[in-house]
Amino acid sequence: RREEIQIENTIPVLILFITGAMASDSAKGRIYNLWLVPMLAVGLFQVFISGGVEKAIAALAASCFVMAFLYPMWIIGGIGAGDIKFLSVLAVFFSFSDFIYCLVISFLIGGGFSLLVIAWSCADKVRICGSGRLPDSNDHINIHMALPIGIAFLLHIGGIF
């Protein structure tokens, strides 16, 4: 586990940043760089202190790789740019295997959220149509992916999986 989660003494700060990004995305629909830049700086500093320049460069490269890997998903509208930046910053704190595991779990949680939204939307449309009113074709609900991402990583930090 990346020499465990290599951020053992920065876990409280990481939890603060993750929950702040989750709250920002939920409230404003955006993850502000106010959360992401300090989080990246703390992560890179911690990696530098614990492993030197080579590890810090490797962590920064991992962050850049995550951005490049997820960029096509942003182009097609599958994930927001803030979510990609959020994930790329989280890549600094976790080993490759832990990160991929949390990424998969976060997408599964996001898929579960989507199913709930679809079920809610269908039930709402049935209720609206039953009242004689037509549903608005412009109705859409965004899934703020910072929530499933944050949930997955927080559960991992907490030792749940």
Side-chain angles (χ1 to χ4, degrees):
R1 292 186 64 174
R2 175 169 216 120
E3 300 101 15
E4 275 314 294
I5 299 175
Q6 72 179 5
I7 42 122
E8 189 135 330
N9 55 355
T10 57
I11 286 177
V13 174
L14 181 59
I15 291 170
L16 173 72
F17 283 132
I18 290 173
T19 54
M22 291 169 67
S24 173
D25 195 28
S26 296
K28 304 286 186 180
R30 301 177 53 103
I31 304 173
Y32 292 100
N33 290 339
L34 172 70
W35 291 108
L36 300 175
V37 172
M39 188 173 162
L40 179 63
V42 167
L44 288 174
F45 181 73
Q46 174 62 29
V47 172
F48 174 75
I49 294 299
S50 66
V53 174
E54 295 85 17
K55 293 271 187 178
I57 291 171
L60 187 58
S63 180
C64 292
F65 176 77
V66 169
M67 272 195 179
F69 181 75
L70 294 175
Y71 181 72
M73 289 184 68
W74 175 75
I75 288 176
I76 63 171
I79 192 168
D83 301 320
I84 292 173
K85 291 186 294 184
F86 187 33
L87 285 165
S88 70
V89 169
L90 288 171
V92 170
F93 289 92
F94 296 90
S95 69
F96 179 75
S97 60
D98 285 348
F99 177 80
I100 295 298
Y101 188 65
C102 289
L103 180 67
V104 169
I105 296 296
S106 66
F107 283 136
L108 289 173
I109 293 170
F113 283 5
S114 296
L115 289 175
L116 290 173
V117 166
I118 290 169
W120 182 273
S121 178
C122 288
D124 195 40
K125 287 182 180 177
V126 167
R127 183 182 54 77
I128 290 171
C129 291
S131 69
R133 210 174 53 123
L134 293 175
D136 185 3
S137 63
N138 293 327
D139 286 347
H140 69 281
I141 300 171
N142 290 328
I143 303 294
H144 298 282
M145 276 303 290
L147 295 176
I149 292 167
I151 289 169
F153 282 89
L154 289 172
L155 289 174
H156 186 67
I157 290 168
I160 303 299
F161 63 86

